[in-house]
Amino acid sequence: MEGVNSEASAAKLPECFSTVIPGWFSEMSPMWPGEAHSLKVEKILFQGKSDYQNVIVFQSSTYGKVLVLDGVIQLTERDECAYQEMITHLPLCSIPNPKKVLVIGGGDGGVLREVSRHSSVEKIDICEIDKMVVDVSKQFFPRVAVGFDDPRVTLHIGDGVAFLKAVPEGTYDAVIVDSSDPIGPAQELFEKPFFASVAKALRPGGVVCTQAESIWLHMHIIEDIVANCRQIFKGTVNYAWTSVPTYPSGVIGFMLCTTEGPPVDFKHPINPIDADDRHVKTTGPLKFYNSEMHTAAFCLPSFARKVIESKSD
Amino acid sequence: MEGVNSEASAAKLPECFSTVIPGWFSEMSPMWPGEAHSLKVEKILFQGKSDYQNVIVFQSSTYGKVLVLDGVIQLTERDECAYQEMITHLPLCSIPNPKKVLVIGGGDGGVLREVSRHSSVEKIDICEIDKMVVDVSKQFFPRVAVGFDDPRVTLHIGDGVAFLKAVPEGTYDAVIVDSSDPIGPAQELFEKPFFASVAKALRPGGVVCTQAESIWLHMHIIEDIVANCRQIFKGTVNYAWTSVPTYPSGVIGFMLCTTEGPPVDFKHPINPIDADDRHVKTTGPLKFYNSEMHTAAFCLPSFARKVIESKSD
C-alpha cells in the first residue's frame, strides 16, 4: 500500500480539499457540474495513490468515516447501509435459494457483508481491481470489511472484465456489479461486451444487479444502459432506485436483469431476508432494506418512467 | 418589496455566498451540521430582507433559478416538481372530490399550481406570512407562481396560525402546510396547538399534509411530530417521503393525518389525478407524481419504520 497515514501531509491534499472552506471536503465532478456536496473534515486518516486511483479516508464531523476514490465519495459510515443493502438484496431476494454469487468491484466488503446474510449461499466470489481499497477498508471500516471474514468468500484481485471472460458458462445464480462511476477504472463495466460476459456467466434465470447512476443527473447514461441491457438480457430488465444522502442528487439507481430461463419478478421478492433473522446474530439487523422498500424501489417518477419504460418491459 | 435587483450589490451578500468558492452558493445550517450542498451561481437576480427573512433568487448554472430563504434553498426550477407534486397530490388523491383546500405557507405558488389540477376543487385559500415571497415568485418563477392565476384562489397575507384560529370548524376537505424548517418564521407550524387548529378547520375525515423534514437528518424532530399528530388527529397518521435533490440529505418527508370521520387509506389513492388529464392542457403534464409513487412514498427504511410505526398506525 503506497498510502500515508498522517495529518502532516495535508499540504499535499488534492484539490477537492482546497477549493472550498478550509477543513471541508467538497465533491466536484464533471459527472455533476455546477453542484458540490461538502462534508466537514475532522481528520485525514489515510491518503494514497494506487495503480488505479487516489484513495482517501477521512473522519467527518457528522457522517462518520468516509472513503473517497478519485475525489468521489464511495461510502460513509452513516449512510452506507442504504446502498449495500439495496444493491445486494434487490437481486438476492428476487430468486429462490441463491447458491453462487459473484461480486464485481465492491472492494470495501459491504456487499459481501450483505450477501453473507443469505444462508442459502454456498460460494461468494469477489473480483476487485484495486487491492488498496480492500486494505484500506479492512483497516478503517471494520464494520464494512467484516464481509471478507465469511469463509464462503474468495477474493480475486484483478480486472472484473477479464475475470468474467474466464468464468465457465452458467456458473452463478447472481452477479452484483458494485462499481464506481463510468469515468475511470469502472468505465468498461457500463458497456455492452461486459453485460454479455455477465449474461454468459449467469445460469438460466440468473440475476444481475449493477450500479446505474442517478435519474436526476444521468438520464442519458441510464437510457443507454437500459437499451444495452434490453439487447443482452433476454429475461426481464428493470430499473430500481434508492436514497443515499452522500451520493450526488441523493439517490442511486440499479439495473436488475435476468437471463432467459425461469422467470423472475423483481418487483415481488420471493426470498424475504427480513423474515429470516438468523443472520442478525452475526451481522446485526438490517438498517434499511425490507420487502416493502424492495417493491417501492421499482416505482419511478413520471419523468424517468417515460424514458425507461419505453426501453424496458 | 425592499429587495434590490442587481449584481452590483454582491459585496453585501450574506455569509453563505462568501464562505465558499467564489461564485458558489453553499447551504449551511445548524439543522444539518457538518455538511453543505453548493450550487454554482451564474447571476444573483434578487436579494432582499422582508419583515420575516432574507430572500435571495439566483440563476444557478445547472439547476435553473433558485429561491433561498434565510440561507436555505426552498426551490430550484430543476427539482421543484418532486416536492410540489408530492405534498399536494398525496393528500388530494387520497380523498374523493376535494372541494375546499387551504394552503399554509407555499407563497411561491407551486402547491397552488398542483391543487388547481383537481377539477373537483371549488375554493383554494392560501395564507402566506411573507408577501415578498409571493412577489419574488411572480417576478422570477412564472411557471411556479402560475398557481396564483387560478380564479379559485384567494391569497391571504398573514400569520397562518392566526388565520386557522379564525376558520369556522369543519371548513376544509384538505389543508396543506408548505412550511420552511422549524427554525425561523415556521417554528409554530410544528407544534401541537397548530395541529389542533388544523384538526378543527378540517371536516370529519378531512386530511392534512405537512412538510416533515428528513428521516436521515431529523428523526428526533419527526418522532415528536408523529407523537403530536397521534394525539391530535383521531383518524389515520402516516409518514411519507420523497426524493428532492436540493433538500438536505436529498429527501423530504410529509405527515399525512385525518380527523375522525370517513376512513382514509393514504397508501391506496382513490382519486387518481394521473388518470384524468384535463389539467394537462393548462398546467402541463405531471413530471414526478403518479399513483405508484404515491403508494411507494409510504414505504420506509427499517431504521425509520421502527421509530415511526411505534408511534403511529
Side-chain angles (χ1 to χ4, degrees):
Chain A
M1 213 165 17
E2 283 176 54
V4 288
N5 234 319
S6 92
E7 290 170 285
S9 55
K12 291 180 296 180
L13 279 175
E15 203 168 291
C16 51
F17 281 88
S18 58
T19 54
V20 285
I21 324 156
W24 288 62
F25 164 82
S26 281
E27 185 186 59
M28 303 174 91
S29 164
M31 290 278 293
W32 45 90
E35 66 180 309
H37 190 239
S38 305
L39 294 176
K40 193 171 182 200
V41 178
E42 293 294 318
K43 190 176 176 178
I44 309 283
L45 299 172
F46 176 87
Q47 52 173 324
K49 191 168 162 43
S50 75
D51 290 343
Y52 303 96
Q53 52 205 344
N54 285 302
V55 180
I56 290 173
V57 178
F58 68 88
Q59 180 71 46
S60 69
S61 69
T62 53
Y63 277 78
K65 292 198 202 87
V66 181
L67 173 65
V68 178
L69 300 180
D70 278 349
V72 178
I73 293 172
Q74 302 298 308
L75 67 83
T76 81
E77 288 182 315
R78 182 155 157 199
D79 66 0
E80 55 91 14
C81 61
Y83 177 75
Q84 320 272 22
E85 293 182 17
M86 294 299 275
I87 197 172
T88 305
H89 304 305
L90 286 176
L92 294 190
C93 293
S94 295
I95 54 173
N97 296 308
K99 288 193 171 63
K100 291 183 182 175
V101 179
L102 171 63
V103 180
I104 300 287
D108 55 61
V111 170
L112 299 177
R113 178 191 68 200
E114 295 307 316
V115 175
S116 77
R117 293 184 189 273
H118 289 263
S119 55
S120 66
V121 169
E122 293 165 1
K123 182 177 170 54
I124 312 171
D125 286 322
I126 174 166
C127 184
E128 161 65 48
I129 201 166
D130 195 346
K131 186 169 180 294
M132 190 182 282
V133 174
V134 178
D135 294 338
V136 157
S137 187
K138 287 182 175 173
Q139 187 176 355
F140 296 104
F141 298 91
R143 279 174 296 190
V144 179
V146 65
F148 287 106
D149 296 345
D150 190 304
R152 295 168 292 181
V153 169
T154 308
L155 170 62
H156 308 262
I157 296 293
D159 174 24
V161 175
F163 182 89
L164 262 171
K165 277 187 192 147
V167 166
E169 209 171 316
T171 299
Y172 295 104
D173 299 288
V175 174
I176 298 168
V177 186
D178 174 16
S179 69
S180 45
D181 294 315
I183 290 182
Q187 190 178 339
E188 280 187 87
L189 306 185
F190 291 82
E191 291 168 3
K192 227 187 289 183
F194 176 73
F195 292 136
S197 298
V198 170
K200 195 178 128 278
L202 284 171
R203 66 155 169 85
V207 295
V208 59
C209 181
T210 79
Q211 190 271 96
E213 302 299 325
S214 160
I215 55 169
W216 286 106
L217 298 172
H218 307 122
M219 215 52 227
H220 55 294
I221 299 178
I222 293 167
E223 211 176 333
D224 287 348
I225 299 177
V226 172
N228 288 344
C229 287
R230 204 80 198 90
Q231 282 180 36
I232 303 290
F233 295 98
K234 300 303 183 188
T236 48
V237 172
N238 284 122
Y239 189 88
W241 63 313
T242 200
S243 154
V244 183
T246 57
Y247 286 169
S249 82
V251 303
I252 191 81
F254 309 102
M255 280 305 311
L256 285 134
C257 312
T258 70
T259 52
E260 203 167 9
V264 175
D265 179 359
F266 284 117
K267 299 178 188 178
H268 300 97
I270 53 157
N271 182 21
I273 183 75
D274 47 345
D276 167 5
D277 64 356
R278 277 174 293 177
H279 59 89
V280 174
K281 271 178 223 132
T282 46
T283 318
L286 289 160
K287 291 178 187 165
F288 193 88
Y289 177 92
N290 53 59
S291 299
E292 279 195 0
M293 286 295 295
H294 182 126
T295 298
F298 292 90
C299 299
L300 300 177
S302 303
F303 75 84
R305 191 166 74 172
K306 206 165 58 180
V307 175
I308 290 171
E309 295 192 352
S310 72
K311 307 238 172 233
S312 184
D313 48 29
Chain B
M1 217 166 13
E2 284 176 53
V4 286
N5 234 320
S6 96
E7 293 168 284
S9 54
K12 290 181 296 180
L13 280 175
E15 203 167 291
C16 50
F17 281 89
S18 57
T19 54
V20 285
I21 325 156
W24 287 63
F25 164 81
S26 282
E27 186 186 60
M28 304 174 90
S29 163
M31 289 280 292
W32 43 92
E35 66 180 309
H37 190 240
S38 304
L39 293 176
K40 192 173 183 200
V41 178
E42 292 295 318
K43 189 176 176 180
I44 309 283
L45 300 172
F46 177 87
Q47 53 174 324
K49 192 168 161 42
S50 74
D51 291 342
Y52 303 97
Q53 53 205 343
N54 284 302
V55 180
I56 289 172
V57 178
F58 68 88
Q59 180 71 46
S60 69
S61 69
T62 54
Y63 276 78
K65 292 198 202 89
V66 181
L67 172 65
V68 178
L69 301 179
D70 278 350
V72 177
I73 293 172
Q74 301 299 307
L75 66 84
T76 80
E77 288 181 315
R78 182 154 157 200
D79 66 359
E80 56 92 12
C81 62
Y83 177 75
Q84 320 274 20
E85 292 183 16
M86 293 299 275
I87 198 173
T88 304
H89 303 305
L90 286 176
L92 294 190
C93 293
S94 296
I95 55 173
N97 297 307
K99 289 195 169 66
K100 292 184 181 172
V101 178
L102 171 64
V103 180
I104 300 287
D108 55 62
V111 170
L112 298 177
R113 178 190 69 200
E114 296 307 316
V115 175
S116 77
R117 294 184 189 273
H118 289 263
S119 56
S120 66
V121 169
E122 296 166 358
K123 182 177 168 56
I124 312 171
D125 286 321
I126 174 168
C127 185
E128 162 64 50
I129 200 167
D130 194 344
K131 187 169 179 294
M132 189 182 282
V133 174
V134 178
D135 294 337
V136 158
S137 186
K138 286 181 175 173
Q139 187 174 356
F140 296 103
F141 299 91
R143 280 175 296 190
V144 180
V146 64
F148 287 106
D149 296 345
D150 190 302
R152 295 169 292 180
V153 170
T154 308
L155 169 62
H156 309 262
I157 296 291
D159 174 24
V161 176
F163 183 89
L164 262 171
K165 278 190 191 145
V167 166
E169 208 172 314
T171 298
Y172 295 104
D173 297 289
V175 174
I176 297 168
V177 186
D178 174 15
S179 69
S180 46
D181 294 314
I183 289 182
Q187 190 178 337
E188 279 187 89
L189 307 186
F190 291 82
E191 292 167 2
K192 227 186 289 182
F194 176 74
F195 291 136
S197 297
V198 170
K200 194 176 130 277
L202 285 171
R203 67 154 168 86
V207 294
V208 59
C209 181
T210 79
Q211 189 269 98
E213 303 297 329
S214 160
I215 56 168
W216 286 106
L217 298 172
H218 307 122
M219 217 50 228
H220 55 293
I221 299 178
I222 294 168
E223 209 175 335
D224 287 349
I225 299 175
V226 172
N228 287 343
C229 287
R230 204 81 198 90
Q231 281 181 37
I232 302 290
F233 294 99
K234 300 302 184 188
T236 47
V237 172
N238 283 123
Y239 189 88
W241 63 312
T242 201
S243 153
V244 183
T246 56
Y247 286 169
S249 82
V251 303
I252 191 79
F254 308 103
M255 280 306 311
L256 285 133
C257 312
T258 71
T259 51
E260 202 167 8
V264 175
D265 179 358
F266 283 116
K267 299 179 189 178
H268 299 95
I270 53 157
N271 182 23
I273 183 74
D274 47 343
D276 167 5
D277 64 357
R278 278 175 292 179
H279 59 88
V280 174
K281 272 179 224 135
T282 46
T283 319
L286 288 162
K287 292 178 188 165
F288 193 88
Y289 177 91
N290 54 58
S291 298
E292 278 194 1
M293 286 295 294
H294 182 126
T295 298
F298 293 90
C299 300
L300 301 177
S302 302
F303 75 84
R305 192 167 74 172
K306 205 164 62 179
V307 176
I308 289 170
E309 296 193 352
S310 72
K311 307 240 173 231
S312 187
D313 47 30

